[in-house]
């Protein structure tokens, strides 16, 4: 029985035959025959090889002839020893003692021949000595030399399969090739390609036949016009008889149509030009009108959709995707070097040189294998003879085996020379799928080089279809088609609808991250309003996007989306908000600047450089955005682009988040006279820009996260008569000048996280002020003049050094709804705090309070969690007040208190935009 490991090894050995061309197979067979010849010769040599030697008489003509011109020195024959007694001499040795003189015929049982006076042991000794001295070395060691040479040729034939630098690549290639042949996607792709090829060939044939039919019709028309009228009135031809003849042109000779004399019941002729005859002459004589030219639209090729292909399941699709990636990596690895080609070339040269060496030294030794040999051992003192004539019993067999061996080696050498010429004359380090390109299928398969090209050339010698199956996983079009099918299967309508959520504005939104392309089912979601696409490499918007009639906002996060003409027309009419995130401005799609209906454009990426915005992105192209109202730029600009003036007629809001880079030139703002909102955050501004004086329509100014130290230029802002919102948080302002009082229309003032130590009385002359944020400063006293701000609804004093609150704050600021005095040094609260009946949120955490005033029970809006304080302080209140403040609030108060605060409780925690959070989530998912 075979173990599983043995079967696996056997299977691996069988797979190597894919890389063996026909000459390698023949060479392997020849090596096997060489081994058989050498083993047979060695077996005979070990079992039956011996020599038989007889002494040569020095005084006989036979010995003289055998010795040739060399004559042995004459030595007197020693007298024969006396015969031993009969009981001492064995009977088997009696015949070996022959007398040198004839024995008389009268004796009984007398032996005939020449007497040598040698016994059996002497014969064995002489034969052994002569085997080693007289027999040539090649006769004795030919089988072993042949066996060794055959083993060397055998090893050199498969050396490239086991060399460490090449074996891993070969095994990997064979594994990938097997996966490509077994993958269901291979059959689907080849079938799809075959159907396309058949469709193209049929369409070409139909066009050719249509052209030929039109030419025949033109020729028949010409013959009818040139034919004489007399011939048309020939009495022997009647119209009825002629029209009843079967005509190939009319299609009435078809076996599927019945013959009938009535033209009214006959089936109409087929308009397809394939049924037109090329050699019809009878139809040209008919009196009836010529048939109408064939309609091309009737014979248009209809794709075969009657047999739908079964879709891949999820596991097969994932395996095919993994195989595409594996082929891509293996290709990049193998095309970097040609080590396999060099090793195979070297082993082929070695085999040829080895054959030359074998033939060169074996052929001269062929004549040394003879039957007769003259032996002159140094045994004269033992035998009395100087020369012996020996015969080699296996000489003829070994001679024939050596001839066969040389023939096999010669054939092996010829195949090696053919292999070497094939390597030298064919460019094996380049492989082109020209056959596929010529047939019009898989035109996108790239050419290969180096080791991968060489392996495919070797595989072509076994089966050219193997390269076709591998080309399926080298084709980008095939990979794209697979991804589309996987997307259709994995991302159906139901799954997309389950992923749809609602944003804070109540709009339906869908976010897709790190997909290969957009699923087709996406464009069936007609109720979708916000679409977010992140890290999608091939985001193509087809014309089917027009089905998304509710789409108004689109986010493209590192997506170079391509748009079809039909989709572009839809986006120009419907899209209102566009968010773009990119690395370089050169990757911004050109269709962005043609969205004439766009109202908001948010761009995050590298835009700015010396002389303006990003290289390759002209701000002048924004002139087509005639309805653009909001423009947001997240970059490190050095100047305000002057090209923004192209959209000054419609632009009302400009946001520049400079990410800590210094914004040096702001003169470009002078042209944006229609701006009502301006944000310049992270621009490293040290003073208020003078260019702000030109923005007379400005309502909101945001200069947060800069380096402002003084606000002396606030006096110049008095010309901004519409300014109602001023945000100067996260700067380095040391003092607030009295000129702040000129901003009479201010409703929101944000001075949080600065270095203010006191507040000027002019601040409290801003009677329209509704929201005041002073958190994170160095204030120790809140002036009593704060009671003049009777419309104040939000006041943030957290993170200061206040020790008490003025009574005027509680008795005059009756509209106060949100009061934050956390993280101060308050030791007590004024009892008049209960006068703030509109208060819905009160934060007292982080102070030095010992008890809470019972008057807080009059602030009914604090119930249900509106009071933020340590739990132990709640026990200082009366039980009725405590229960009132901790009980769930009514529906009316819930609606008020559930409103999110207009500002976070603390700015110490960094805020991130949606795109930043999305980037972090996508990065974590990819890791």
């Amino acid at each position: 029985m075979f173990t599983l490991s043995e079967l696996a090894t056997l299977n691996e050995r069988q797979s190597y035959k894919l890389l063996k061309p026909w000459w390698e197979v023949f060479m392997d067979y020849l090596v096997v025959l060489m081994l058989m010849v050498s083993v047979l010769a060695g077996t005979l040599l070990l079992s039956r090889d011996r020599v038989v030697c007889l002494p040569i008489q020095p005084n006989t003509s036979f010995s003289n002839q055998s010795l040739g011109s060399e004559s042995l020195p004459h030595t007197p024959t020693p007298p024969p020893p006396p015969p031993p007694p009969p009981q001492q001499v064995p009977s088997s040795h009696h015949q070996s003692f022959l007398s040198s003189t004839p024995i008389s015929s009268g004796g009984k049982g007398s032996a005939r021949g020449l007497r040598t006076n040698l016994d059996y042991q002497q014969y064995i000794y002489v034969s052994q000595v002569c085997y080693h001295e007289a027999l040539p070395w090649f006769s004795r060691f030919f089988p072993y030399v042949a066996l060794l040479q055959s083993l060397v040729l055998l090893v050199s034939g498969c050396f490239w399969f086991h060399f460490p630098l090449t074996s891993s690549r070969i095994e990997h290639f064979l594994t990938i090739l097997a996966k490509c042949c077994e993958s269901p996607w291979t059959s689907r792709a080849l079938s799809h390609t075959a159907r396309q090829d058949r469709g193209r060939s049929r369409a070409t044939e139909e066009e050719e036949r249509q052209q030929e039919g039109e030419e025949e019709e033109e020729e028949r028309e010409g013959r009818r016009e040139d034919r004489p009228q007399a011939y048309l009135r020939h009495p022997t031809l009647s119209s009825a008889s002629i029209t009843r003849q079967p005509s190939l042109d009319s299609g009435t000779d078809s076996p599927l149509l019945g013959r009938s004399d009535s033209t009214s019941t006959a089936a109409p002729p087929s308009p397809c030009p394939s049924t037109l005859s090329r050699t019809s002459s009878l139809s040209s004589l008919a009196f009836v009108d010529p048939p109408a030219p064939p309609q091309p639209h009737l014979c248009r090729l209809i794709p075969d959709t009657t047999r739908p292909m079964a879709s891949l399941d999820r596991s097969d699709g994932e395996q095919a995707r993994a195989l595409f990636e594996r082929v891509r990596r293996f290709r990049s690895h193998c095309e970097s070097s040609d080590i396999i080609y060099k090793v195979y070339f070297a082993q082929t040269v070695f085999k040829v040189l080895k054959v030359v060496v074998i033939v060169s030294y074996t052929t001269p030794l062929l004549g040394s294998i003879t039957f007769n040999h003259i032996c002159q051992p140094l045994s004269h003192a033992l035998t009395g003879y100087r020369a012996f004539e020996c015969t080699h019993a296996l000489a003829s067999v070994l001679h024939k085996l050596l001839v066969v061996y040389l023939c096999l080696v010669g054939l092996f050498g010829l195949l090696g020379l053919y292999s070497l010429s094939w390597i030298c004359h064919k460019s094996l380090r380049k492989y082109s799928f020209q056959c596929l390109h010529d047939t019009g299928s898989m035109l996108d398969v790239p050419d290969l080089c180096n080791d991968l090209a060489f392996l495919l050339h070797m595989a072509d010698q076994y089966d050219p279809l193997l390269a076709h199956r591998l080309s399926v996983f080298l084709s980008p079009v095939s990979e794209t088609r697979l991804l589309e099918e996987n997307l259709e299967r994995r991302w159906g309508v139901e799954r997309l609808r389950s992923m749809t959520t609602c944003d804070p504005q109540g709009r339906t939104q869908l976010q897709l991250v790190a997909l290969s392309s957009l699923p087709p089912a996406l464009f069936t979601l007609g109720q979708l309003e916000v679409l977010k696409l992140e890290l999608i490499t091939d985001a193509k918007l087809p014309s089917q996007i027009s089905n998304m009639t509710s789409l108004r906002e689109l986010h493209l996060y590192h997506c170079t989306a391509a748009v079809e003409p039909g989709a572009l027309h839809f986006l120009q009419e419907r899209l209102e908000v566009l968010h773009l995130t990119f690395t370089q401005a050169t990757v911004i799609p050109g269709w962005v600047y043609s969205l004439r209906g766009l109202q908001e454009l948010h761009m995050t990426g590298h835009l700015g450089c010396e002389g303006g915005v990003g290289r390759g992105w002209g701000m002048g192209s924004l002139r087509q955005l005639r309805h653009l109202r909001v423009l947001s730029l997240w970059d490190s600009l050095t100047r305000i682009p002057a090209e923004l003036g192209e959209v000054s007629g419609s632009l009302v809001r400009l946001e520049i988040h400079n990410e800590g880079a210094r914004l040096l030139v702001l003169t470009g703002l002078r042209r944006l006279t229609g701006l009502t909102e301006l944000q310049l955050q992270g621009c490293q501004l040290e003073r208020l820009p003078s260019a702000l004086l030109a923005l007379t329509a400005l309502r909101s100014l945001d200069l947060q996260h800069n380096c402002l130290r003084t606000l002396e230029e606030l006096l110049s802002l008095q010309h901004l008569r519409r300014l109602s919102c001023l945000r100067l948080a996260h700067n380095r302002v040391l003092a607030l000048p009295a000129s702040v009082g000129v901003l009479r229309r201010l409703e929101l003032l944000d001075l949080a996280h600065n270095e203010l130590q006191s507040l000027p009385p002019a601040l409290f002359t801003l009677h329209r002020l509704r929201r005041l944020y002073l958190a994170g400063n160095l204030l120790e006293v809140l002036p009593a003049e704060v009671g003049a701000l009777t419309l104040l609804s939000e006041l943030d004093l957290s993170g200061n050094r206040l020790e008490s609150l003025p009574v005027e704050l509680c008795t005059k600021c009756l509209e106060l709804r949100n009061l934050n005095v956390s993280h101060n040094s308050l030791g007590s609260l004024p009892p008049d705090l209960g006068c703030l009946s509109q208060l819905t949120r009160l934060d007292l955490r982080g102070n030095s309070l010992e008890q809470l005033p019972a008057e807080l029970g009059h602030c009914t809006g604090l119930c249900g969690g509106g009071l933020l304080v340590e739990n132990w302080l709640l026990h200082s209140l009366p039980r009725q007040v405590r229960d009132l403040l901790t009980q769930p609030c009514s529906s009316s108060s819930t609606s008020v208190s559930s409103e999110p605060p207009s500002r976070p409780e603390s700015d110490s925690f960094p805020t991130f935009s949606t795109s930043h959070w999305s980037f972090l989530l996508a990065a974590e998912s990819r890791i």
Side-chain angles (χ1 to χ4, degrees):
M1 296 295 291
F2 290 101
T3 61
L4 292 178
S5 59
E6 292 175 347
L7 291 177
T9 305
L10 183 62
N11 190 14
E12 292 176 359
R13 293 177 180 176
Q14 291 293 333
S15 62
Y16 282 113
K17 69 180 182 180
L18 300 179
L19 298 179
K20 284 193 173 184
W22 62 269
W23 57 84
E24 289 283 351
V25 177
F26 284 169
M27 293 169 79
D28 290 345
Y29 289 153
L30 291 177
V31 170
V32 172
L33 292 177
M34 294 179 199
L35 290 174
M36 294 176 63
V37 169
S38 60
V39 170
L40 176 60
T43 303
L44 293 176
L45 204 64
L46 292 174
S47 60
R48 303 185 58 183
D49 189 32
R50 63 190 179 91
V51 295
V52 178
C53 299
L54 294 176
I56 299 176
Q57 297 294 337
N59 56 353
T60 60
S61 60
F62 177 76
S63 63
N64 293 335
Q65 293 176 1
S66 300
L67 294 175
S69 61
E70 297 180 359
S71 60
L72 296 175
H74 179 70
T75 56
T77 304
Q87 65 275 9
Q88 296 178 0
V89 180
S91 60
S92 59
H93 289 176
H94 279 292
Q95 296 180 359
S96 62
F97 292 98
L98 300 178
S99 175
S100 59
T101 58
I103 302 176
S104 61
S105 60
K108 291 183 180 180
S110 61
R112 298 182 180 182
L114 298 177
R115 184 181 297 277
T116 60
N117 298 321
L118 297 177
D119 60 2
Y120 180 71
Q121 297 296 332
Q122 290 175 322
Y123 277 110
I124 293 177
Y125 171 76
V126 171
S127 299
Q128 293 292 337
V129 172
C130 290
Y131 180 82
H132 292 282
E133 293 185 0
L135 206 63
W137 71 271
F138 197 69
S139 299
R140 291 177 286 128
F141 299 106
F142 153 67
Y144 313 115
V145 174
L147 180 61
L148 181 61
Q149 294 170 353
S150 301
L151 291 177
V152 171
L153 293 178
L154 179 63
V155 171
S156 63
C158 58
F159 176 74
W160 67 310
F161 291 141
H162 305 284
F163 186 61
L165 297 179
T166 59
S167 60
S168 60
R169 293 190 179 188
I170 294 175
E171 292 176 0
H172 199 180
F173 173 77
L174 294 174
T175 303
I176 289 178
L177 202 60
K179 295 291 185 181
C180 293
C181 295
E182 296 172 358
S183 176
W185 176 249
T186 305
S187 303
R188 287 175 55 85
L190 292 178
S191 301
H192 179 77
T193 304
R195 286 198 304 273
Q196 288 184 341
D197 295 341
R198 286 196 299 267
R200 282 192 290 266
S201 61
R202 290 176 183 176
T204 303
E205 293 177 359
E206 293 294 338
E207 291 178 359
E208 293 177 355
R209 292 177 181 178
Q210 181 178 354
Q211 293 177 359
E212 292 175 358
E214 292 176 356
E215 292 176 358
E216 291 180 0
E217 290 296 333
E218 292 177 359
E219 293 177 0
R220 284 195 291 270
E221 289 290 340
R223 285 198 296 268
R224 287 195 184 94
E225 293 176 358
D226 297 339
R227 189 180 300 117
Q229 296 295 332
Y231 179 74
L232 292 176
R233 296 192 185 98
H234 199 280
T236 60
L237 294 175
S238 63
S239 62
S241 61
I242 293 177
T243 56
R244 289 179 58 185
Q245 296 293 332
S247 173
L248 293 177
D249 292 337
S250 61
T252 56
D253 62 338
S254 174
L256 299 178
L257 301 177
R259 294 177 177 267
S260 175
D261 296 339
S262 174
T263 59
S264 60
T265 60
S270 173
C272 184
S274 61
T275 58
L276 298 176
S277 173
R278 301 182 181 180
T279 58
S280 177
S281 60
L282 184 60
S283 61
S284 62
L285 301 177
F287 298 115
V288 297
D289 294 336
Q295 300 295 332
H297 66 278
L298 295 177
C299 296
R300 187 174 302 164
L301 181 63
I302 301 176
D304 185 13
T305 59
T306 57
R307 293 179 298 175
M309 300 182 63
S311 60
L312 294 178
D313 56 11
R314 182 175 181 179
S315 61
D316 292 339
E318 294 297 332
Q319 290 177 3
R321 287 188 60 185
L323 190 56
F324 269 106
E325 183 64 24
R326 190 173 181 180
V327 170
R328 187 182 299 108
R329 294 183 179 181
F330 180 73
R331 177 190 172 191
S332 63
H333 177 63
C334 282
E335 289 187 335
S336 60
S337 64
D338 56 350
I339 183 65
I340 299 179
Y341 170 81
K342 292 179 179 178
V343 170
Y344 184 80
F345 180 76
Q347 82 172 25
T348 304
V349 172
F350 175 80
K351 289 189 289 187
V352 174
L353 294 178
K354 183 65 176 178
V355 169
V356 172
V357 171
I358 292 174
V359 173
S360 63
Y361 82 84
T362 304
T363 303
L365 296 176
L366 183 62
S368 64
I369 302 179
T370 58
F371 183 74
N372 294 323
H373 300 275
I374 300 300
C375 179
Q376 299 179 4
L378 299 177
S379 59
H380 179 266
L382 297 176
T383 60
Y385 293 93
R386 295 182 179 275
F388 292 85
E389 182 170 358
C390 303
T391 60
H392 189 196
L394 297 178
S396 60
V397 177
L398 292 179
H399 188 275
K400 293 180 176 61
L401 291 178
L402 179 59
V403 172
V404 173
Y405 180 79
L406 287 177
C407 293
L408 295 177
V409 172
L411 290 177
F412 188 91
L414 292 177
L415 292 176
L417 291 175
Y418 175 81
S419 175
L420 197 61
S421 63
W422 179 74
I423 295 175
C424 296
H425 288 85
K426 195 170 183 179
S427 57
L428 299 180
R429 283 180 286 189
K430 293 183 179 180
Y431 190 91
S432 176
F433 293 90
Q434 190 63 34
C435 57
L436 297 179
H437 299 168
D438 295 339
T439 57
S441 59
M442 294 188 182
L443 300 176
D444 60 323
V445 180
D447 295 338
L448 307 176
C449 60
N450 290 336
D451 280 346
L452 184 56
F454 175 73
L455 292 174
L456 282 178
H457 278 293
M458 299 298 288
D460 279 348
Q461 302 299 320
Y462 181 82
D463 188 0
L465 294 179
L466 296 176
H468 292 185
R469 294 184 173 271
L470 181 62
S471 65
V472 173
F473 294 90
L474 292 172
S475 171
V477 174
S478 176
E479 184 175 8
T480 303
R481 192 183 305 119
L482 174 63
L483 295 178
E484 290 176 355
E485 291 193 8
N486 287 341
L487 283 175
E488 292 179 5
R489 182 183 64 254
R490 296 178 54 190
W491 297 89
V493 178
E494 298 299 330
R495 181 176 182 181
L496 293 176
R497 288 178 179 174
S498 64
M499 296 176 60
T500 303
T501 59
C502 291
D503 61 0
Q505 289 78 22
R507 302 173 301 176
T508 57
Q509 66 175 3
L510 176 63
Q511 184 175 7
L512 300 177
V513 183
L515 297 182
S516 58
S517 60
L518 298 180
L522 172 64
F523 307 106
T524 61
L525 304 178
Q527 303 299 325
L528 193 64
E529 299 179 58
V530 181
L531 177 60
K532 298 181 180 181
L533 306 178
E534 302 183 10
L535 301 175
I536 299 179
T537 56
D538 186 17
K540 184 176 182 181
L541 301 178
S543 57
Q544 286 80 6
I545 197 175
S546 58
N547 299 328
M548 307 174 69
T549 55
S550 301
L551 185 64
R552 295 295 181 270
E553 184 173 339
L554 178 62
H555 294 246
L556 297 178
Y557 180 82
H558 292 289
C559 296
T560 55
V563 177
E564 294 183 357
L568 179 59
H569 179 73
F570 171 80
L571 294 177
Q572 289 175 345
E573 299 295 334
R574 300 296 183 90
L575 195 62
E576 298 177 356
V577 183
L578 178 61
H579 292 256
L580 293 178
T581 303
F582 48 88
T583 55
Q584 296 291 334
T586 54
V587 301
I588 299 177
W591 54 268
V592 171
Y593 309 112
S594 63
L595 301 176
R596 54 179 177 267
L598 194 65
Q599 298 182 11
E600 296 185 19
L601 178 59
H602 303 264
M603 308 183 73
T604 303
H606 182 64
L607 288 171
C609 63
E610 291 186 4
V613 267
R615 184 179 179 183
W617 183 70
M619 293 296 293
S621 60
L622 290 178
R623 67 185 61 171
Q624 299 183 20
L625 307 180
R626 298 187 298 269
H627 297 87
L628 187 64
R629 299 178 59 84
V630 178
L631 178 60
S632 176
L633 303 178
W634 293 72
D635 191 20
S636 302
L637 300 176
T638 58
R639 60 184 294 269
I640 298 294
E643 292 82 358
L644 291 180
E646 302 289 344
V647 291
S648 60
S650 60
L651 195 63
V652 297
R653 181 178 177 181
L654 176 62
E655 299 179 5
I656 295 180
H657 303 266
N658 223 36
E659 299 179 357
R662 185 178 296 276
L663 187 61
L664 300 176
V665 183
L666 292 89
T667 55
L669 291 175
R670 299 181 183 274
R671 303 183 60 183
L672 304 177
T673 56
L675 279 182
T676 60
E677 298 183 28
L678 176 61
Q679 290 186 14
L680 299 176
Q681 295 188 9
C683 300
Q684 297 294 317
L685 300 177
E686 296 181 356
R687 306 180 69 91
L688 294 179
S690 60
L692 298 176
L693 301 178
L695 307 179
T696 56
L698 199 63
R699 296 177 180 272
S700 175
L701 177 60
D702 189 346
L703 299 179
Q704 299 183 82
H705 298 279
N706 283 284
C707 299
L708 298 176
R709 291 183 177 272
T710 178
L711 299 178
E712 296 298 334
E713 294 82 2
L714 282 178
L715 185 60
S716 61
L717 297 183
Q718 62 181 341
H719 300 286
L720 307 180
R721 301 185 181 278
R722 298 182 181 181
L723 188 63
S724 60
C725 177
L726 179 59
R727 296 181 181 271
L728 301 175
H730 295 277
N731 282 278
R732 302 176 184 176
V733 179
L734 297 176
L736 186 63
S739 57
V740 69
V742 300
L743 305 177
R744 298 294 184 180
R745 290 184 173 270
L746 272 186
E747 297 181 3
L748 185 149
L749 179 59
D750 189 355
L751 293 171
H753 298 281
N754 282 278
E755 300 177 7
L756 298 176
Q757 297 181 1
S758 62
L759 300 176
L763 174 63
F764 306 106
T765 62
L766 305 178
H767 300 294
R768 295 190 179 186
L769 202 60
R770 296 180 179 273
R771 289 180 287 178
L772 179 59
Y773 303 109
L774 298 172
N777 283 278
L778 305 175
L779 299 176
E780 296 181 357
V781 177
L782 181 64
E785 289 83 354
V786 70
L789 304 178
T790 56
L791 298 181
L792 196 64
S793 61
E794 293 186 21
L795 178 60
D796 190 354
L797 297 171
S798 60
N800 284 277
R801 302 175 182 178
L802 300 177
E803 297 181 357
S804 62
L805 295 178
V807 178
E808 289 79 6
L809 176 65
C810 304
T811 58
K812 295 183 179 181
C813 300
L814 302 180
E815 298 293 331
L816 199 61
R817 295 176 177 271
N818 191 339
L819 178 59
N820 188 352
V821 291
S822 61
H823 302 285
N824 280 277
S825 301
L826 297 176
S828 62
L829 296 177
D832 297 328
L833 194 61
C835 298
L836 301 177
S837 59
Q838 302 293 330
L839 200 62
T840 59
R841 182 180 179 89
L842 176 60
D843 194 346
L844 301 174
R845 294 172 296 181
N847 285 280
S848 302
L849 298 174
E850 296 181 357
Q851 63 179 359
L852 297 177
E855 288 78 7
L856 287 178
H858 300 288
C859 303
T860 57
L862 294 178
C863 64
L867 178 61
L868 302 177
V869 70
E870 289 79 0
N871 292 331
W872 63 271
L873 278 176
L874 290 175
H875 295 283
S876 64
L877 293 171
R879 182 174 182 180
Q880 297 81 1
V881 177
R882 185 172 64 248
D883 294 341
L884 176 65
L885 295 178
T886 56
Q887 70 179 1
C889 58
S890 60
S891 60
S892 60
S893 60
T894 303
S895 61
V896 177
S897 61
S898 61
E899 294 180 1
S902 59
R903 181 170 181 81
E905 300 175 7
S906 176
D907 293 326
S908 61
F909 187 78
T911 58
F912 296 97
S913 62
T914 306
S915 60
H916 290 99
W917 286 116
S918 302
F919 169 75
L920 294 175
L921 293 175
E924 290 179 358
S925 63
R926 287 213 164 191
I927 292 174

